[in-house]
Every structure is written in structure tokens, then in C-alpha cells.
Amino acid sequence: MNVWCRARRLLAVLVVTAGCAQADMVEMAVTRDATIYSDVSALPLANGSGQYLFAGVNGPNNDGNVRRAMLYFDVLGVLPVGALVTSATLRVTVDRVPFGAPASDIFLHRATAGWGEGPSDPTGLEGTGATALTGDATWTDSFLGVTALATPGGDFDAAASASLSAGDVGAYFFAAPQMVADINTWLLNPAANLGWFMVGDETGSRNARRFISGDLGDPDAEPLLVLGFVVVPEPGVLGLVLAGVMTLVARRIRRGAGSRSSSR
């Protein structure tokens, strides 16, 4: 085998090793979460620090008001520099369902504006929310008393990044290519990471689901994001590899030339 053939094989091995050896997975709990309520009230409602999240439409007893949940994960703080996400799964846990309610779709939408996880903490079952406090996200404000929403009900992409059908109580999982695209966009532009909205089927009624919040402190049920990723080497890394291979080739050539000269 000549020196060039060996060099090509060595380079191929090094490139594959550099590109694939750091494939890995990581789990991260939700960093912050909250629920907003569409109820028309003398005072705006919120749920920033409660133990539960809600998505969907309440039953007739609550006049068909809508609830939307928001989730944020600090992906940049967990993933290493150069990470490229290849898979994403988001676990959420339903712990309360309206009696006799059929399965209902839940959609995940990429948020396009920031929002606050304020101090509001409803009592009881939390389905009716609590009076919003400064810093809470509400139906009309990203941060109560600071920033109003461009669109009442939340600023988010109209197209869903993922969806699932939620039936009875238990764990459910969002997983779709657009979630991977969302996260890779956030890694390239951290300011764009504003989290996701979790929105129910709002064309129906009495289909709201209650989910476990990160504030409950139950790691087995709180929202959990599981990511598969690879660390993409910077161009300079492969350049160093190539330089090393070419140095090896040059040395072999010089040695070969020296051997031929001494044998004459």
C-alpha cells in the first residue's frame, strides 16, 4: 500500500472519529413554566408559580374559557458548544381530566415573544387561576405591568411544531422534526429561545387537561426535554487533522527519497 493510500485511509478515520465520537443524549427539566387564562375578569388572571399547568377549554361551568401553558428550557446552558441536535422528545404529564371527556389534541407552538413566570400561585385545583402580579404572563401581557402582548392569548407561531392526543391521566410525549429545527435555531441565535406554548383544541369545549408543573418538584412527572445531539467539530479542528496527515505524508516521502538516494 503506497503512502498516499495510507494517508487517505488515516484521514477518513480521523474525520469520522472527529464527527461522530461525541454523539450523546441529555435530559433537562423545564426551567420555567406558566399558564395564562382567557377569562374576562375585573383583574387579569395568571398562574406563574402554581403546581400545575393547563391547556384547552374549560367546561360549561367556566363559560368555555381557554387556558394556554408556556414552557421554557435553557438548552444553551446545558448543551456543549458546537452541539447539533438530532432528536427531541418532550414529556408532559396529565394528572387531571374532565369527567367523561374524550381524548383531545394538544399542540406545541414556538413562542415569538418573551413571557414571565411570575409569583402568582392559585389555591385549590388551580383551574381558575389567581390574580396576576407584577412580572406574571397574562392573556394580554408578556410581563404584567411591563410589556403587553402583540396578540392577546400569546405571541407564537401559527404553525405547530408538534402535537399529541391526550386522553386519560399519564405521561405523553411530543416528538417531531420541527422541534429539532426550533432548538437548533435557538442554539444559533440564543435570543430566539423564548420557549413553546402548549395549546389545546380550542374549537371544542370541556377538553382542558391539567399537567404537572416544574414547580411541583416531582422529577418523574415534570416537563422533561430529552435531546440527542452530536458535537460538530469546528473547521479548524479538521484543518489541524489534515495538516497532521500531510506532515506524515511529507515525512514518508522524504524518508523514501533518502532511502533511494543511499541505495544508488
Side-chain angles (χ1 to χ4, degrees):
M1 183 184 297
N2 64 45
V3 67
W4 288 107
C5 185
R6 289 178 181 174
R8 285 196 298 269
R9 289 194 175 186
L10 177 59
L11 179 59
V13 169
L14 290 174
V15 169
V16 170
T17 301
C20 301
Q22 299 184 65
D24 209 343
M25 296 194 72
V26 65
E27 296 181 354
M28 63 187 78
V30 66
T31 307
R32 52 186 170 90
D33 53 27
T35 301
I36 57 175
Y37 301 75
S38 71
D39 309 49
V40 176
S41 174
L43 295 171
L45 300 175
N47 185 347
S49 297
Q51 298 179 336
Y52 304 104
L53 303 167
F54 296 84
V57 183
N58 265 2
N61 292 338
N62 286 303
D63 300 321
N65 288 306
V66 173
R67 284 90 177 88
R68 293 174 178 170
M70 297 165 290
L71 306 167
Y72 174 86
F73 295 87
D74 183 16
V75 294
L76 193 67
V78 175
L79 291 170
V81 174
L84 176 69
V85 173
T86 56
S87 65
T89 301
L90 170 58
R91 181 198 71 193
V92 292
T93 305
V94 173
D95 88 313
R96 189 174 179 85
V97 179
F99 178 76
S104 184
D105 291 334
I106 306 290
F107 303 92
L108 201 65
H109 294 259
R110 186 177 64 86
T112 57
W115 49 271
E117 183 191 47
S120 59
D121 189 357
T123 58
L125 300 177
E126 302 189 8
T128 55
T131 299
L133 302 172
T134 300
D136 273 317
T138 72
W139 197 258
T140 56
D141 293 89
S142 292
F143 300 88
L144 183 66
V146 180
T147 308
L149 288 166
T151 305
D155 295 329
F156 54 85
D157 277 349
S161 296
S163 65
L164 57 79
S165 179
D168 206 348
V169 298
Y172 292 88
F173 300 89
F174 291 104
Q178 187 56 47
M179 291 173 59
V180 174
D182 290 347
I183 297 166
N184 282 323
T185 296
W186 298 341
L187 292 174
L188 291 173
N189 179 15
N193 182 9
L194 303 166
W196 286 298
F197 272 73
M198 195 160 59
V199 179
D201 177 6
E202 297 173 0
T203 63
S205 63
R206 200 171 173 271
N207 61 17
R209 263 52 180 177
R210 190 176 80 173
F211 299 84
I212 300 296
S213 163
D215 292 310
L216 183 63
D218 183 353
D220 294 326
E222 67 187 357
L224 182 74
L225 185 61
V226 181
L227 302 178
F229 67 94
V230 294
V231 176
V232 180
E234 297 179 4
V237 173
L238 291 181
L240 290 173
V241 171
L242 180 59
V245 171
M246 296 310 295
T247 299
L248 176 62
V249 169
R251 287 177 179 175
R252 292 289 181 89
I253 291 174
R254 285 198 298 270
R255 288 177 183 174
S259 296
R260 287 192 297 270
S261 297
S262 61
S263 62
R264 290 176 183 174

